[in-house]
């Protein structure tokens, strides 16, 4: 089971920076072989209400000694809203929202949220030969004044 450096969940509210400032949701996920050897999801954390996502960066160690692993980064409404079809993890590397061909087509820059929303790491295609590793995820967001 994946473990997180920073706890998340309904008991752990999103950090709420002052309005009109930039915040960063960052978490490091320890991935076991079962996490990358099967399709599934891990909640990275939450962005607060009245925020706009500006960018997302995901770094993975080599979690597949084969060449099948595909992952994504999204939210509760779209599993690959920010990073789609990333093969990072087949070898160690970093992928940023919109900087690979499949992410560029789907990157939803400046996605606005009216409620606290979960950001989700997704294993889309399981590893051919799973290896334990880590995923470091950072999501940059801007907080707006609440809309009335």
């Amino acid at each position: 089971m994946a473990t997180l450096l920073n706890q998340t969940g309904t008991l752990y509210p999103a950090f709420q920076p002052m309005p009109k400032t930039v915040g960063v949701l960052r978490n490091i996920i320890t991935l076991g072989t079962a996490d990358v050897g099967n399709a599934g999801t891990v909640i990275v954390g939450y962005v607060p209400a009245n925020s706009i996502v500006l960018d997302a960066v995901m770094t993975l160690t080599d979690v597949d000694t084969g060449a099948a692993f595909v992952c994504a980064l999204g939210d509760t409404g779209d599993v690959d809203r920010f990073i789609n079809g990333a093969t990072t993890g087949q070898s160690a590397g970093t992928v940023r929202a919109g900087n690979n061909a499949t992410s560029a087509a789907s990157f939803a820059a400046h996605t606005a949220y009216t409620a606290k929303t979960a950001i989700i790491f997704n294993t889309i295609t399981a590893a051919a030969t799973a290896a334990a590793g880590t995923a470091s995820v950072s999501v940059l967001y801007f907080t707006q004044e609440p809309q009335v």
Side-chain angles (χ1 to χ4, degrees):
M1 179 174 182
T3 57
L4 299 168
L5 176 66
N6 301 307
Q7 291 294 323
T8 63
T10 56
L11 299 177
Y12 300 94
F15 169 71
Q16 180 69 55
M18 297 296 295
K20 298 184 180 179
T21 60
V22 174
V24 178
L25 164 64
R26 184 169 192 287
N27 217 333
I28 298 172
I29 308 164
T30 302
L31 299 166
T33 55
D35 297 312
V36 296
N38 300 292
T41 62
V42 177
I43 294 176
V44 175
Y46 296 84
V47 292
N50 303 310
S51 64
I52 297 173
V53 171
L54 304 172
D55 200 1
V57 180
M58 187 167 60
T59 301
L60 279 89
T61 58
D62 186 355
V63 295
D64 185 358
T65 58
F69 183 76
V70 177
C71 62
L73 186 69
D75 59 28
T76 51
D78 183 350
V79 299
D80 57 7
R81 184 178 306 276
F82 307 113
I83 297 173
N84 178 16
T87 56
T88 304
Q90 291 179 12
S91 61
T94 299
V95 63
R96 186 172 183 176
N99 81 340
N100 72 0
T102 51
S103 292
S106 67
F107 177 46
H110 310 302
T111 298
Y113 294 102
T114 57
K116 181 174 90 170
T117 303
I119 301 299
I120 302 171
F121 171 85
N122 300 279
T123 298
I124 304 297
T125 304
T129 308
T134 59
S136 173
V137 178
S138 297
V139 177
L140 287 75
Y141 59 91
F142 176 80
T143 58
Q144 308 177 89
E145 294 284 352
Q147 303 298 312
V148 287

